Amino acid sequence: IVLGCTHYPLVSDAIQKVMRTPVTLVESAEGVTRRLLHLLEESGHRNEGATSLKILATGAIEANMVTAILGEKFSVGMVKLSD
């Protein structure tokens, strides 16, 4: 199974359990991250200062799940998609 999003490796153990049979998971997060860093550096947008994380979702999300995955407590803001 190819994990086509950078956050899927965070739930790879859960995916393995759901499959109920051994499967190979191919993670794309590292390659996507390297490419993003390259593009940011190439365009002069590299951040070498403090960072912050803002989590936005288009649907309901359990704050406890975010805490369990990221290891820290974060608030989740809701975003309404326009038609």
Side-chain angles (χ1 to χ4, degrees), residues 12-67:
S12 61
D13 289 341
I15 293 170
Q16 289 283 10
K17 287 178 187 175
V18 168
M19 295 307 295
R20 296 185 183 157
T21 183
V23 295
T24 300
L25 299 177
V26 179
E27 298 179 5
S28 63
E30 189 176 328
V32 170
T33 302
R34 277 196 312 269
R35 179 69 176 147
L36 175 61
L37 289 173
H38 172 77
L39 291 172
L40 288 171
E41 191 168 296
E42 189 176 75
S43 64
H45 290 94
R46 183 173 180 154
N47 182 3
E48 299 197 21
T51 60
S52 63
L53 176 65
K54 185 173 186 177
I55 301 172
L56 302 172
T58 57
I61 186 169
E62 292 287 330
N64 291 340
M65 181 180 70
V66 174
T67 300

